[in-house]
Amino acid sequence: MMMRIKGYHKAALMAILVISAAAGNGRGVIRPGSSLSSDSLSIPGEIYVIESEKLRRLNIDTFDDILQIAAGVSCWREGAPGSRTGFSVAGRRAVLLVNGRLTENIYTSEPLVKFVDLGRLRRVEVVYDGAFSLTGELGTGAAVNLVVEQGGREPPFTQADFTYGGSNRRARRIWFSTPRSYISAAVSYNEYLQDAIESREFGQNKLIGNDHMKSVSFDISMGGEQEALIHFTRFEDTYNGTACNPFEDIRSSGFDSWIEFSSWGLRSSIRHRGMDRERTSGKMSGLATSVDLQFDRRMGALDMRAFLKGSNYLLENRYSGVSSDPQLDNYYGGITGQVRPGGSYPMKGSVFMGRSSEAGDYLGWEAGAARLGRNGSYQRISLSRKPVIPSAAQLFHPVSAVSGLECYDITASGSPGLIPEITEEAALENRFSFGLTLNLFYRRIDERIEVDGPGGSFANTGDYDETSGIRASFREDISWRRFTLELEGGGEYFFETEGLESGVPEYRAVGNLYLSFPLFKETERMTLHLNSIAFGERNWDDDLSGRAAVHNFSLSMTLMSAVVRFQYKNFMDARYQTVPGFYMSDRHFRIGILWNLPD
């Protein structure tokens, strides 16, 4: 990194140490996790939750394993799990949150799914709408929030999780929590390895992408009436053999650190992130520093939350003959309010505005209301206008720096003249008392940002696209004697596909069947799980990836403090792609054991 970045790095670290010292003088205890579904500002229908008990039954090796069981969520990937990955929620580009905090690639603003601490994962929350009003994070309103345990158990706790599977898949995860006290700590190690997958576009039966991902995370929390948290993560990913060159290696590495301090409804934090990416044709480096203030207050029947956020990005390009060191700033603030007249009619609204140093000023808002009925039924309406800010990659970087598909040298570097993309949406939702939920939606996307020509530059379309569709979900639990049967299903279908993001299928349906029953003298329990996914064509500019159906089977059994798991993935051996040119995993097995080691 250049000297100017190193100087900024030192200044940020000094600020972190100052805040740390101030936090240490308090009496705080860190909150167990930022769960959006239990947030006082959430209203019914916005969030779908996958609880910890269900996660224990599954072999969670990668982020894909989580998304495959949720309705309305679709994932795409350029090859093996270490490849460039994206996902959508209800057909919209979604952000990834960990305990309510944005986790993104500094360059592309895409979800940084490769280095999530899956070992400490306790809950998954799919946010279909209203993400800004809850977290203050910009985007289309769609998100996936991973609630990760931050330590402070009583008594001390250790958990180990090991998996082995076809294509030499190996996962090793272990974490430890100190006992709950004034100062608590948790440390974790995550590692995932997988051999290559088949690439259709770049040679018959050509294998690419031996992948090795690993990360270490450390949390220290301080307790009492005030709350403080210090977090640090270091990660690294090595990807050997690409579609461009079987001898090419791509190495990504970085860190993520923050200090958070809360008192009397005010939560403040400072965050510092760094990321490097190296491949045959060059190197990119980036640092991001952000400050976040959040204030919660209740005034009678009104719950209010105010946000103020600022971020600075320092970037370096040494790529395919291009040398540039751009800088990007983004500052914004907003406020959310909610009332519940009569307790059965929650109404919520939020408004925010900000300024990007490259994309200019922007304004957005969200509004929603619901009517609560009996036996879990409700009706909900939502309206929104949300800006999507151009990423650093779209503004400054050659496309080959962020995509494994681009094999040629790039001499152009970004498009600094971009303005925010605007998504306007209206949705109606009804949940019936017998467990069926239906959602009808309409979207209009203005000034969509798209790749403009083969040189890697981007441009606003100057026009608008429209899309509409329906999303449905269903759940039913049936008990008979010693057996419990859980049925879950759902999907989405788009009446118009012009406004869909690249990689979003024209339809997607998912079904889950869980059958569980006790074993031995009812001291242990076995669960059988059948998961089926069907999806339509995905549009990728001038290319398509076809329809497919994938079926997965798993079995899990508790043995005292351990859970033994077996999976047979894609057991019908479907040949399918989510990105043209890259076949996804064929039929394979996985076995694993999760072991709790309490003191």
Side-chain angles (χ1 to χ4, degrees):
M1 304 295 289
M2 298 182 67
M3 289 302 296
R4 68 183 185 94
I5 293 186
K6 289 184 178 179
Y8 205 91
H9 184 282
K10 293 178 181 178
L13 288 178
M14 291 183 65
I16 285 177
L17 292 174
V18 171
I19 294 180
S20 173
N25 293 328
R27 297 175 295 163
V29 126
I30 189 61
R31 50 202 168 92
S34 299
S35 175
L36 303 183
S37 59
S38 59
D39 196 300
S40 61
L41 292 178
S42 65
I43 60 177
E46 290 183 329
I47 302 174
Y48 166 78
V49 179
I50 306 173
E51 298 288 357
S52 60
E53 182 58 34
K54 186 170 294 184
L55 293 171
R56 276 169 56 89
R57 307 171 189 171
L58 306 173
N59 248 359
I60 303 297
D61 291 334
T62 66
F63 193 64
D64 300 24
D65 298 328
I66 300 171
L67 300 186
Q68 69 182 17
I69 66 174
V73 184
S74 182
C75 181
W76 56 263
R77 194 175 67 236
E78 290 179 352
S83 310
R84 185 181 174 211
T85 301
F87 66 93
S88 63
V89 173
R92 289 167 296 171
R93 188 184 316 162
V95 298
L96 175 64
L97 309 172
V98 177
N99 289 346
R101 189 182 298 274
L102 184 65
T103 302
E104 64 173 357
N105 186 305
I106 293 175
Y107 310 127
T108 66
S109 297
E110 293 172 348
L112 192 61
V113 302
K114 295 192 292 185
F115 307 110
V116 173
D117 192 347
L118 298 177
R120 290 192 281 169
L121 184 63
R122 289 296 170 266
R123 173 183 286 193
V124 178
E125 299 170 332
V126 179
V127 184
Y128 292 113
D129 200 12
F132 173 82
S133 62
L134 299 175
T135 67
E137 299 293 354
L138 296 177
T140 64
V144 173
N145 183 46
L146 306 181
V147 180
V148 174
E149 191 166 335
Q150 295 170 316
R153 282 207 177 192
E154 189 70 40
F157 179 82
T158 302
Q159 184 180 86
D161 190 348
F162 303 98
T163 300
Y164 177 79
S167 296
N168 206 19
R169 292 171 172 85
R170 291 149 288 163
R172 298 185 280 264
R173 299 186 176 92
I174 186 168
W175 72 280
F176 169 76
S177 169
T178 64
R180 186 177 304 154
S181 61
Y182 177 79
I183 298 179
S184 302
V187 61
S188 62
Y189 175 77
N190 290 264
E191 185 176 19
Y192 180 81
L193 303 93
Q194 179 176 328
D195 287 354
I197 70 156
E198 183 178 341
S199 171
R200 173 179 63 83
E201 290 292 325
F202 304 94
Q204 186 69 26
N205 299 323
K206 183 171 181 178
L207 299 178
I208 64 170
N210 292 302
D211 193 52
H212 185 188
M213 297 178 285
K214 54 188 175 181
S215 66
V216 177
S217 297
F218 185 71
D219 290 287
I220 297 179
S221 57
M222 286 160 277
E225 294 178 0
Q226 298 172 330
E227 303 175 350
L229 172 68
I230 303 172
H231 171 87
F232 180 80
T233 297
R234 179 75 170 87
F235 56 83
E236 182 177 300
D237 175 40
T238 304
Y239 192 78
N240 300 320
T242 69
C244 310
N245 184 346
F247 304 105
E248 180 182 30
D249 296 342
I250 298 180
R251 181 180 179 273
S252 300
S253 61
F255 68 91
D256 191 356
S257 61
W258 67 76
I259 296 290
E260 183 179 289
F261 180 58
S262 302
S263 178
W264 302 100
L266 176 65
R267 189 176 78 176
S268 59
S269 67
I270 183 169
R271 185 179 188 185
H272 194 47
R273 295 174 288 161
M275 195 168 181
D276 291 321
R277 180 181 173 91
E278 298 179 66
R279 63 184 303 177
T280 302
S281 51
K283 178 180 179 180
M284 296 168 52
S285 300
L287 287 176
T289 302
S290 57
V291 177
D292 183 355
L293 298 175
Q294 177 180 310
F295 183 69
D296 289 88
R297 183 63 64 192
R298 172 170 289 180
M299 296 183 294
L302 176 63
D303 286 331
M304 295 188 65
R305 177 172 298 163
F307 304 96
L308 184 62
K309 297 175 181 279
S311 300
N312 172 267
Y313 298 83
L314 297 174
L315 308 161
E316 290 183 352
N317 286 338
R318 300 294 182 268
Y319 222 91
S320 299
V322 175
S323 176
S324 62
D325 304 309
Q327 177 174 327
L328 176 64
D329 299 307
N330 186 34
Y331 304 96
Y332 66 93
I335 188 168
T336 297
Q338 185 194 81
V339 294
R340 290 179 174 257
S344 299
Y345 300 91
M347 295 181 289
K348 180 173 67 174
S350 62
V351 62
F352 58 94
M353 61 183 66
R355 179 174 180 80
S356 166
S357 59
E358 296 293 331
D361 300 330
Y362 53 88
L363 171 71
W365 53 267
E366 295 177 343
R371 175 185 176 275
L372 308 183
R374 297 179 179 178
N375 301 320
S377 64
Y378 62 82
Q379 295 80 44
R380 180 172 69 93
I381 184 172
S382 61
L383 303 168
S384 62
R385 179 187 190 273
K386 289 160 288 196
V388 177
I389 311 303
S391 69
Q394 293 168 334
L395 290 166
F396 306 121
H397 292 298
V399 69
S400 69
V402 297
S403 173
L405 289 176
E406 304 295 341
C407 302
Y408 46 81
D409 286 342
I410 304 295
T411 55
S413 183
S415 307
L418 297 175
I419 62 176
E421 180 180 296
I422 304 296
T423 298
E424 298 174 331
E425 181 171 354
L428 292 171
E429 183 168 295
N430 185 69
R431 178 177 173 83
F432 300 92
S433 58
F434 53 86
L436 176 65
T437 303
L438 295 176
N439 182 289
L440 291 169
F441 54 86
Y442 165 81
R443 287 183 209 121
R444 170 179 166 136
I445 302 95
D446 287 299
E447 299 292 350
R448 184 189 292 278
I449 300 173
E450 294 182 343
V451 176
D452 183 28
S457 61
F458 292 80
N460 295 100
T461 60
D463 202 352
Y464 67 89
D465 295 318
E466 295 177 304
T467 187
S468 59
I470 183 171
R471 189 180 76 247
S473 61
F474 176 79
R475 177 173 178 172
E476 182 67 26
D477 296 342
I478 303 172
S479 296
W480 180 72
R481 295 187 179 181
R482 302 164 63 229
F483 298 89
T484 300
L485 181 67
E486 299 176 44
L487 299 173
E488 285 186 346
E492 58 187 354
Y493 177 79
F494 296 95
F495 306 128
E496 301 169 287
T497 59
E498 289 183 359
L500 289 181
E501 299 284 345
S502 295
V504 176
E506 58 183 337
Y507 67 84
R508 183 180 186 270
V510 59
N512 294 284
L513 184 152
Y514 300 89
L515 176 63
S516 60
F517 49 91
L519 294 175
F520 306 115
K521 295 184 179 181
E522 301 196 2
T523 58
E524 315 301 338
R525 195 165 190 86
M526 177 174 286
T527 300
L528 308 178
H529 174 214
L530 179 63
N531 166 253
S532 295
I533 308 164
F535 53 84
E537 291 182 338
R538 304 168 190 253
N539 184 22
W540 292 95
D541 298 325
D542 297 328
D543 205 348
L544 292 174
S545 58
R547 302 179 177 91
V550 184
H551 307 282
N552 307 296
F553 171 78
S554 67
L555 178 153
S556 65
M557 182 172 61
T558 59
L559 294 172
M560 295 186 291
S561 62
V563 180
V564 180
R565 299 170 298 196
F566 170 80
Q567 285 184 311
Y568 198 24
K569 305 285 286 186
N570 190 12
F571 61 79
M572 298 297 289
D573 204 20
R575 298 283 285 166
Y576 70 101
Q577 305 168 67
T578 56
V579 176
F582 297 92
Y583 282 112
M584 294 296 96
S585 300
D586 54 9
R587 178 167 49 204
H588 66 278
F589 73 92
R590 299 183 198 173
I591 55 175
I593 181 170
L594 184 148
W595 194 7
N596 296 331
L597 303 170
D599 187 353

